[in-house]
Amino acid sequence: MKKLGLLKEGIVDKIVALSPSGVEKLSADFQVFVEDGAGQLAGFTNEMYKDSGAIICKDSKEVIVNSDILLSFSSRIGEYKLNCKKVFIGFFNVLNDKTVVLPYTNIEADVYSLDLIPRSTIAQAMDIISSVASISGYQAVLTAAEMSPMVVPMVTSAGGTLKPAKFLILGAGVAGLQAIATAKRLGASVKAFDVRKNTKNEVESLGAQFIEIKGAVENQNAGGYAVQQSAEYLDLVNKRIAEECINADVVITTAKIPGKQAPTLVLKSTVDKMKPGSVIIDLAAENGGNCELTRRNEIIDHNGVHIVGLASMLNRCAHSVSTLASNNFTSFIKYYLNHIDQEESNEILSSTKVVSNGKIINQQLINEVNAL
Ligand code: NAD
């Protein structure tokens, strides 16, 4: 029987890569070793893991020594001497932070990073990016509603009638559509924009108004993703989006282009004109941000407009994110076991493998790490 280790995340991360039900799903092939307290902050106790058949280890060192495959959501390993070759699987966001892979180089380690999973039908059950994006879209709306000095729905009371808060969602992919649906459920008046024309129907089917700005470039070979737009088009977008932002109470930005810096959609000059009390939640903060003023992992107060670039917002939904991520990781691990023999010709395994026996093998990472 193979041995799988579940590592505890850093002190700021509450999400855990495997839930007790994930342990059960893998129990036919694996004895699972769980680091003491690994799931505590996501609502999964040591007892729950034990009941699912896991063995609790006192620290990460003990987990690593006992396991062939190590699983973590996003945390990197410390300075360990490995007793033999290990496989590390996680959601390391390697293209956003190249330094993540460095501790795994020059040691007997293979690393698979699930942020590089292809967005194909066959990989759908392993698509952790979608799981995280969906919860991020939901949480962005709740965070904005909490930070805004306004209530979201229309309220009629003895003091008169309050109009619904105006939400603007930029980018209508997985996160954006979930944000639209959540804002609509709270009673907001919602507008949305995306460069991909076919998002119009999806936006409208959720009851939001689609902002049309003609002239976007689309590429049928981009796998359903957006591609980089011309400077002229982005200029046009900036002007139109500026008008919409000034009118909005909450702006949630989710626009990304795979492997590239996120497009700037909200300029500082636009934020200058927004109403005090407005909130911008920038879900592209990890990729450089959609708002010119966004700072990764910070909340900026710009003349009363708050710009939120916090990845840690996801911690508020640690149980739900962990539950979805655990399903994605268990699907990947089962797939890995069944296909490892044909790894080189397998798209899912070869796309996600970034380090092989201590050497970086992902070409984009090699270039970027060399440039560090
Ligand atoms: P993403 O996170 O890369 O981008 C988010 C959104 O930003 C996208 O909708 C994109 O069009 C938009 N965007 C990019 N540049 C923009 C700009 N300048 N202005 C406005 N919007 C801009 O994308 P995503 O949310 O992961 O998904 C994108 C597509 O991929 C969707 O159609 C989704 O259904 C599809 N998808 C397919 C699979 C699968 O087949 N397994 C899985 C997940 C997503």
Side-chain angles (χ1 to χ4, degrees):
M1 191 175 254
K2 289 214 160 264
K3 293 167 181 172
L4 179 82
L6 175 64
L7 296 167
K8 192 171 170 177
E9 301 296 313
I11 38 170
V12 289
D13 293 316
K14 296 185 177 178
I15 299 162
V16 67
L18 196 66
S19 66
S21 99
V23 172
E24 268 170 39
K25 283 185 192 153
L26 294 172
S27 61
D29 297 304
F30 287 98
Q31 171 60 62
V32 180
F33 295 86
V34 173
E35 184 175 344
D36 181 24
Q40 188 67 31
L41 297 175
F44 304 121
T45 62
N46 284 351
E47 285 307 311
M48 293 176 182
Y49 284 107
K50 271 198 243 170
D51 291 347
S52 302
I55 295 171
I56 307 297
C57 297
K58 67 175 187 310
D59 55 23
S60 55
K61 208 168 171 182
E62 196 177 311
V63 177
I64 293 175
V65 167
N66 275 305
S67 313
D68 313 307
I69 301 180
L70 278 312
L71 190 59
S72 62
F73 184 73
S74 62
S75 75
R76 47 184 95 184
I77 53 163
E79 297 290 313
Y80 294 109
K81 279 224 166 307
L82 303 179
N83 53 333
C84 60
K85 188 169 173 187
K86 309 283 175 186
V87 174
F88 292 87
I89 298 172
F91 180 60
F92 299 121
N93 264 319
V94 287
L95 297 184
N96 288 336
D97 181 1
K98 288 87 203 164
T99 62
V100 170
V101 291
L102 297 179
Y104 303 94
T105 54
N106 303 318
I107 58 172
E108 280 189 278
D110 285 352
V111 180
Y112 295 83
S113 192
L114 266 63
D115 45 300
L116 298 175
I117 207 98
R119 309 299 281 277
S120 56
T121 309
I122 188 167
Q124 206 150 21
M126 310 168 213
D127 187 359
I128 192 164
I129 308 176
S130 289
S131 302
V132 166
S134 194
I135 304 291
S136 301
Y138 163 84
Q139 185 56 42
V141 171
L142 297 196
T143 302
E146 248 177 42
M147 290 180 72
S148 166
M150 305 171 72
V151 295
V152 179
M154 185 175 98
V155 173
T156 305
S157 79
T161 299
L162 296 171
K163 288 189 180 155
K166 293 179 195 142
F167 275 54
L168 173 66
I169 315 291
L170 301 178
V174 179
L177 290 173
Q178 186 62 257
I180 293 169
T182 307
K184 285 300 293 180
R185 280 184 214 121
L186 281 184
S189 153
V190 185
K191 288 189 184 181
F193 166 67
D194 197 296
V195 283
R196 290 183 300 118
K197 271 201 298 283
N198 58 6
T199 55
K200 181 176 192 285
N201 282 344
E202 294 171 314
V203 166
E204 288 176 349
S205 72
L206 290 168
Q209 187 186 331
F210 188 74
I211 300 165
E212 265 189 277
I213 308 173
K214 294 208 163 72
V217 183
E218 294 204 41
N219 182 347
Q220 299 309 323
N221 299 325
Y225 286 112
V227 291
Q228 218 153 9
Q229 302 297 319
S230 66
E232 294 75 35
Y233 181 73
L234 283 177
D235 206 34
L236 197 67
V237 170
N238 287 149
K239 287 199 182 100
R240 178 69 198 280
I241 293 304
E243 292 163 21
E244 298 291 347
C245 286
I246 294 162
N247 199 26
D249 302 304
V250 168
V251 179
I252 295 176
T253 72
T254 74
K256 290 185 201 162
I257 301 157
K260 300 256 172 5
Q261 178 91 349
T264 305
L265 300 176
V266 183
L267 300 173
K268 175 184 173 292
S269 55
T270 303
V271 185
D272 284 340
K273 293 183 202 129
M274 287 174 70
K275 293 168 280 192
S278 307
V279 180
I280 300 173
I281 309 276
D282 193 337
L283 291 184
E286 295 279 312
N287 304 61
N290 292 139
C291 172
E292 219 173 11
L293 294 175
T294 299
R295 275 198 237 131
R296 191 170 169 247
N297 287 334
E298 286 187 37
I299 300 177
I300 309 289
D301 179 346
H302 185 79
N303 303 328
V305 179
H306 286 96
I307 303 132
V308 181
L310 300 179
S312 59
M313 263 185 336
L314 264 189
N315 276 330
R316 298 288 296 271
C317 303
H319 187 85
S320 303
V321 179
S322 304
T323 302
L324 298 179
S326 173
N327 290 338
N328 298 135
F329 279 121
T330 48
S331 298
F332 180 82
I333 291 164
K334 284 182 182 176
Y335 187 87
Y336 168 88
L337 272 192
N338 291 331
H339 296 85
I340 187 66
D341 295 343
Q342 319 112 45
E343 177 170 60
E344 277 177 25
S345 59
N346 185 284
E347 196 204 353
I348 294 176
L349 296 184
S350 58
S351 320
T352 49
K353 191 171 189 179
V354 289
V355 173
S356 177
N357 215 7
K359 281 204 173 59
I360 302 174
I361 56 163
N362 175 291
Q363 196 51 50
Q364 193 173 346
L365 266 180
I366 294 173
N367 298 343
E368 299 195 20
V369 167
N370 285 341
L372 280 177

